[in-house]
Structures are given as structure tokens and as C-alpha cells.
Amino acid sequence: MKELNLVCTKCGIVHSIKSTYFRCQSCGEPTEVEKIEHGKIKTKNPLRQNIMERYQEFLPFKEIDSALSLGEGFTPLVKGYKTSKALELNDVYFKNESQNPTWSFKDRGTLLGIQHALKLGYKRIGTVSTGNMAVSVAAYGSKAGFETFIFVKNDLAPEKLNPIAIYNPHLIKVDGDYGKLYFKSLEIGNKNDIYFINSDVPFRVEGSKTIAYEICEQLNFDMPDYVIVPTSAGGNIRGIIKGFDEFKSAGLINKIPRIVCAQASGCSPITNGFIKNHKSIERIENPQTIAHGIENPFPPSGNEVLRQLEEKNGLCISVDDESILKAQKLLASDGIFGQPASAVPVAAIEKLKKQKILKGDEKIVCIVTGSGLKYTAAFERHNLRHYNTTIDDLEKFVADKF
Ligand SMILES: Cc1ncc(COP(=O)(O)O)c(C=O)c1O
Ligand SMILES: [Zn+2]
């Protein structure tokens, strides 16, 4: 495989892959690994492969260190019978990313990020996160023996803080604008030899490509009509689009599904830009949504997501908190407990159906990005019930009550 470079997503200027130029040195937009035009899936026993081994020809690594893997990816694609029926659709599928080692899709990109960091000789890695990415980088950093720096928001709840702290990173709560922290960390990383695996850096995007690859394989290359992705920084959706694109170039699929970028109404900078037909996003001043996982007020890949949606005829939609909570219950009726951010695609389907963009006969894949157990505060927003009785009364209670 030829050596691939990092290319600016906007102006196309080339940067060395041996660098950590994650933003273009000329225009400031995100860089990405050059697109791979030809490749093949390594069709060995998938039970004995990790994602880097199976999709190596689509990834920028000649050599891979499988000892870094925690068994990420190869997550289930489950048909949502109840959701399909409730929303009057034939075929709704859930790509259940809560089945990853740290219970979210982030593990795919973390693995590829640390593979790159190791290749460049780094001993320190870091990230800026509100939760899922922090947990993921802390876990993989610990396993691989990196000195790991995690910057989180000052007001992060203990239920989110301790699952990061358990892996023993340098965990630092930072008071200040979360949007600025992303850029600040890249600066700190350059000065202190810390490889920051932030939300949309090129190797995180490479990791998300494998979600698209797996969907293709799981549907036997019979492509869905829509793939709906809850979006914040924009790294995941970029990777998914790139993955489908590369499989199409390789001749493995003949169409790319229509991609829907789904956001929460309380923080929807990309949807706002999309609706106004703008080329760049504007910062949201007071973001507020139950879907905390997708609450980035100034997504670093927002402009690139707008470019991709325009080029690929994608869609962008935002949904309110009430519909997100309703969707979380609907998802649970199909046996999957996703966090509010992960229920956003289901709420998006309902809205697209009301708007008559969806007719009912489409095949739709929702990316369920992370586990519901990550955000137990959402329980308070549901009217969850249980009963009490004694062991002596239990038999009668069950007979009388149900
Ligand atoms: C659960 C969940 N869903 C979706 C996203 C959005 O991914 P991205 O920031 O790559 O757009 C995140 C990111 O933090 C997340 O934690
Ligand atoms: Zn550029």
C-alpha cells in the first residue's frame, strides 16, 4: 500500500501523515487521511480478527499492533420490529454501538488513534470530552501503557467522572468554554508531546469508517436507503460517509445510502447551517438538551459535515427533548437501552415520517452510538414504575394484579 497523506477537507492541501496536523495549516479546517480507492476485505475468520485486521486494506497502516485492541467493533445490527411497527415503517435497524468495550462507538477511533500515536513514537495521549470519549481514551491508554491526559468540563457529574477515573488517567476538570478547549488541547499537545485523540481527528474518523463497512457486510451488501447518525463534533458521521464512499470506489457496493445528520433542537448548529444553506456553522450560545453526548455548541467538523451533506445529497434534522425521551422508550421496547443522544435517530425517523420525506417502505439504519447506562439521570425524566409486596403475598399479588 502506498503511503497515504493527510489532506485538508476544504482546500486539499497535503500534510504528512507522520505529523499531527489535524487542522489544515493553511485554512484551519479539519484534515483527513487520503481516500482509499481500491481495497478488499480480508475474509478470514472474523471471530479471530479485530477491525484493523479485517479492514486493513482500507486503513492507513502497513503494520498493525493487535495487542492494542480490546475487541471493539463487530457490533450487532438488530432489526427493530416494534419501532418499525410503531413508526409505520417496514425496516428499521439498529447498529448497536453500546456493545463496544467502553459502551460507545468511540472505541473504534480510539484504537486507530493510539495505533497512529504509537507509530509516531508518542508516549503520552489525551482527549477533551464530555464523557464517552474520555472513558474510551482512558481505557485504551491504560491498556497500552500511555501516560493519559483527560480534560473534561468543570461541571461533569460524578456518575460520568468516576467511570473515567477508574482507569487512572490524569483527569483534569477545566473551567471555561468547552468549544475552545478542543483547540487549546491541540496547542498544548504540540508543546508537550501529547497526542490528542479529539472528537474528529483524522484517525478517529478512520475508526468510524468501520461502522459503515460492517453495515455493508451485515446487510450482505444490499444497501439501506437511509443511515441516521446522531451528530455533535461531526467525526463519526464523516467516518461513516467516508466508509461507504470507499466501499463504493472499491466496487463492493453500488450505492451510498442517504445520510441523515441528526441533532437535538437545543444544540443544532449544523442543522441551522443546513437549513439556511450556509457554508459554515455558527456557535450556539446556550446549548441545552437531554442529549448531552451531542451537545457541542461549535462542532469542529461542522463545516465539513455541511460540505459532505451538500455533495452527497444528505439531510439534516433536529428533534426536541420530548421526542428524544419518547424515542428512548421506543428503542427500549425493542430491547436496546441507548443514551438519549443515541435515541435521536429514532426521533428523527418520526419527524421525517411526519414530513412525508419517509414513505414507509425504506430500509433505515439508526446508529445507536452509546449505552443508556452512561446517563442514568435520564431515568428521572421517565415515568418508570415498579411494585412492592411480601414473599407471603407474592402469589396472590401476581394472580390478582396481572
Ligand atoms: C453517545 C454519542 N452519540 C453521538 C456522538 C456524536 O459523535 P461526533 O461528535 O463524532 O459527531 C457522541 C459524541 O460525543 C456521543 O457521545
Ligand atoms: Zn485547508
Side-chain angles (χ1 to χ4, degrees):
M1 191 198 289
K2 75 177 175 100
E3 182 90 326
L4 297 160
N5 284 307
L6 294 178
V7 190
C8 173
T9 53
K10 186 175 181 210
C11 72
I13 284 183
V14 174
H15 305 67
S16 165
I17 203 156
K18 296 196 178 101
S19 74
T20 47
Y21 290 132
F22 299 153
R23 309 292 299 187
C24 173
Q25 295 304 292
S26 171
C27 75
E29 281 291 290
T31 58
E32 67 178 7
V33 177
E34 256 177 275
K35 196 176 135 187
I36 289 170
E37 302 286 348
H38 307 285
K40 267 203 217 116
I41 300 167
K42 292 210 173 141
T43 51
K44 284 188 187 153
N45 180 358
L47 296 177
R48 294 179 57 83
Q49 290 172 313
N50 60 50
I51 51 171
M52 291 190 294
E53 290 168 334
R54 186 161 187 82
Y55 302 118
Q56 186 173 8
E57 290 196 21
F58 294 95
L59 296 172
F61 299 118
K62 286 197 194 92
E63 284 146 33
I64 48 183
D65 183 351
S66 291
L68 302 175
S69 169
L70 279 168
E72 51 296 304
F74 302 130
T75 56
L77 184 72
V78 181
K79 183 156 176 185
Y81 291 95
K82 293 229 171 78
T83 302
S84 302
K85 192 159 179 236
L87 301 179
E88 297 174 358
L89 287 149
N90 286 345
D91 268 335
V92 177
Y93 289 85
F94 303 122
K95 180 69 172 155
N96 188 1
E97 290 294 296
S98 76
Q99 299 296 298
N100 275 297
T102 73
W103 314 283
S104 86
F105 75 95
K106 300 283 186 183
D107 294 335
R108 300 173 183 267
T110 305
L111 174 71
L112 269 68
I114 61 168
Q115 177 76 51
H116 188 227
L118 203 68
K119 206 171 156 199
L120 298 187
Y122 279 86
K123 305 220 165 2
R124 308 164 114 191
I125 54 167
T127 199
V128 170
S129 167
T130 54
N132 285 329
M133 200 162 48
V135 172
S136 180
V137 172
Y140 279 79
S142 176
K143 180 176 198 294
F146 283 97
E147 189 181 358
T148 306
F149 294 78
I150 310 284
F151 299 164
V152 296
K153 273 188 191 172
N154 204 27
D155 58 354
L156 199 70
E159 67 165 11
K160 286 190 163 188
L161 204 59
N162 291 331
I164 307 167
I166 194 78
Y167 300 106
N168 211 23
H170 303 311
L171 177 54
I172 306 169
K173 279 171 133 184
V174 185
D175 199 1
D177 183 321
Y178 183 70
K180 284 192 191 139
L181 191 53
Y182 170 98
F183 296 97
K184 188 83 194 158
S185 70
L186 294 183
E187 234 178 272
I188 294 172
N190 281 338
K191 287 187 189 138
N192 296 279
D193 287 332
I194 308 169
Y195 184 111
F196 269 88
I197 315 174
N198 286 353
S199 48
D200 66 335
V201 298
F203 284 80
R204 202 163 263 298
V205 171
E206 290 301 291
S208 287
K209 293 191 321 192
T210 61
I211 296 179
Y213 299 158
E214 289 172 23
I215 291 171
C216 295
E217 290 210 72
Q218 286 167 312
L219 291 174
N220 213 11
F221 303 95
D222 185 9
M223 283 295 92
D225 300 292
Y226 289 86
V227 173
I228 311 184
V229 192
T231 299
S232 186
N236 196 33
I237 194 167
R238 280 179 52 204
I240 291 171
I241 295 171
K242 192 166 182 241
F244 284 123
D245 227 3
E246 290 181 339
F247 260 26
K248 184 156 181 283
S249 294
L252 290 166
I253 56 174
N254 53 24
K255 75 162 190 182
I256 293 177
R258 199 165 186 203
I259 304 291
V260 182
C261 166
Q263 298 208 287
S265 318
C267 185
S268 54
I270 304 177
T271 314
N272 295 351
F274 183 84
I275 290 168
K276 293 181 195 152
N277 219 354
H278 284 179
K279 297 275 176 234
S280 55
I281 54 152
E282 281 166 28
R283 179 185 295 273
I284 299 287
E285 283 317 326
N286 293 304
Q288 206 161 28
T289 170
I290 183 91
H292 290 299
I294 53 169
E295 205 180 18
N296 190 325
F298 193 54
S301 277
N303 300 341
E304 169 59 4
V305 174
L306 288 177
R307 287 191 287 274
Q308 284 294 325
L309 293 176
E310 189 182 354
E311 192 186 311
K312 308 275 185 332
N313 188 30
L315 279 176
C316 201
I317 191 164
S318 59
V319 290
D320 63 28
D321 279 12
E322 283 319 303
S323 66
I324 294 170
L325 285 162
K326 194 171 144 207
Q328 196 184 23
K329 284 295 282 287
L330 194 53
L331 191 56
S333 76
D334 268 315
I336 296 176
F337 181 30
Q339 62 190 100
S342 303
V344 163
V346 179
I349 294 184
E350 190 168 14
K351 194 161 174 183
L352 291 168
K353 188 84 200 307
K354 275 198 193 120
Q355 293 177 343
K356 302 209 173 354
I357 293 171
L358 293 176
K359 292 183 191 65
D361 57 354
E362 298 90 346
K363 192 192 295 184
I364 302 166
V365 175
C366 296
I367 313 297
V368 179
T369 42
S371 161
L373 285 177
K374 298 274 197 145
Y375 187 61
T376 51
F379 288 141
E380 285 162 27
R381 301 286 299 273
H382 291 290
N383 195 12
L384 303 176
R385 53 163 195 217
H386 69 275
Y387 303 98
N388 291 311
T389 187
T390 64
I391 191 153
D392 292 338
D393 293 340
L394 184 57
E395 195 175 336
K396 184 169 175 333
F397 183 83
V398 171
D400 290 352
K401 186 97 190 156
F402 307 106

